[in-house]
Amino acid sequence: MRKSSETGLILGIESSCDETAAAVVRAGSTALSNVVASQMSLHANYGGVVPELASREHLRNVVPVVREAMRRASVSFEDLDAIAVTEGPGLAGALLVGITYAKALSFGLEKPLISVNHLEGHIHAVLMETRESASAAMELPLLALVVSGGHTHLYVARQDANSNTWNYRNVGRTVDDAAGEAYDKVAKLLGLGYPGGPWIDALAPHGNPRAVPFTFSEIKHRAPREGVTNKKAPTRTDGPHFDFSFSGIKTAVLRYVETHHMRESIEARRAALTADPSITPKSPAAVALCDKQTLDLLASFQYAVVGNLLRQTLAAAESLGAHSIVVSGGVAANSELRRRFQAEADRRGLPIAFPSLALSTDNAAMIAAAAWPKFVAKDFATEDLGATPQLRLGAR
Ligand code: KG4
Ligand code: ZN
C-alpha cells in the first residue's frame, strides 16, 4: 500500500488574475496535469482585465477545472497529500474564489492547505522544469526576473540548507508600469489585439529595431555608504537595487504616434481586426495590416524594453554575485527576450533558464511546485487564510 507522503501529490489552484488553473504535481517536479481556463477572449473586448468579470468567470470555472486536472492526472482526491493555492498578489475577488474552494477541499478531505505567493510560483515554474528534465540544477544564489502583466521584479533566491525552504530578497521592481502592461498598452494604442505581448512579439521581427531610438533613464539606487546615516532619508535595507520604469516609453510611443500622424491608419487596423477575429498575431494578415512605420515602431519598442530588462538583470547578477539566472512570467514567453538573454548569459558563462511557453504565463503547476518545499517543511496555512492582493515576496 502506498504511503501518501512518499508520493507528494499536490493539487495547485491559481485564480489571481484572468486564468482559472488547476494542476497536480508530484514532489515539486512532475506535472501530472496542468489545466488552464483562459478568460482572455472575454477581457479582450475591454482591452484589459475587468475584475468583476474575472471573479464571475473564476466562480464558473473553478470546479470543472479542478475536476479536469484530477481526471487528467488519473488520481482521486483521496490520493492527494495537500492542496496549494495562490494567496496573492492579484485581484482580491479573483483570489478569493480559488482560496475559498481550496479551503473547502482541504477541510472536507482533511488534507493540509498550503498558501503560495504567485511570484514565487513563477520562479518555481522554471525550477520544476529544470528538475524534471534532469538538467543541471540552477546554482544558488540565483537571480530571478519575474516579468509579467502585473509585475517586473528581480529577486535573489536561496534555499535554506536545513529546511530546504526558499527565501527571497527583492533587489529590483518597477516604480510604475510592469513590462507586460507596457506591451499591452502600446499594442492597444497601435490598434492591435489583447494581450499585446504576443502581437508585438510576432510583428517586431518585420521592423527595424533601430528606427526609433528610445531611451531609459536608469533608476539605480545604491545603499548608503557605511557609516553615513541620514535620518530623513527613507529607511533602506541592505544592498543595491535595480529598479525599472516603463511608463516613460509608453508615453514616448504615444508622442511618436501623435507627431507622425498615425491615428488614421491605427483606427483602420483596429476596425479590420475587430471585423475579422480569425486574424492572429502570427497570421500573414496581421503583418499586412501594418505599414513600415508601425513595424519599425514596434521593433524599436521591443528592442528598447528587452534591452532595459537585460541590462538591469545582468547588472544585478554581477553586482550581487548570482550564480545563475531564471526569467519567468508572461513576458518571458517573448522570443527576442529569450534570444538576447540566452546570448548574453552564454557570453558571460552564466547558466540561464526560462519556463516552457505553457508555464511562462499563469498556471497552477507552478503553484503546486512552489508548495512542495513548504509541504516537506510542514509550513501549512491556517483555516483563516484570506486573499492578500498586495502580497510581497521577500524583504527588500
Ligand atoms: O504571467 P502572466 O500570464 O500574467 C500576469 O501575472 O500578469 O503575464 C501576462 C502578460 C501580458 O502583459 C502579456 O502581454 C505578456 O505577459 N506576454 C508577452 C508575451 N506573451 C505574453 N509579452 C511579450 N511577449 C510575449 N510573447
Ligand atoms: Zn503571473
Side-chain angles (χ1 to χ4, degrees), residues 240-261:
H241 290 92
F242 301 85
D243 289 341
F244 302 93
S245 165
F246 293 104
S247 76
I249 191 163
K250 179 193 67 187
T251 313
V253 172
L254 175 62
R255 215 177 306 120
Y256 187 94
V257 163
E258 300 297 350
T259 53
H260 291 77
H261 312 290

Side-chain angles (χ1 to χ4, degrees), residues 90 113 126 135 171 211-212 264 273 282 304 316 361 366 373:
L113 179 69
V126 184
S135 54
V171 294
V212 188
E264 213 174 302
L273 287 175
K282 287 189 177 152
T361 46
M366 68 186 198

Side-chain angles (χ1 to χ4, degrees), residues 10 19 22 33 66 99 127 132 139 141 146 154 167 174 180 211 355 388:
I10 298 185
E19 332 272 6
S33 64
V66 167
I99 292 173
L127 299 176
E132 193 183 22
E139 266 185 63
V146 181
L154 280 169
N167 57 71
T174 177
T388 312

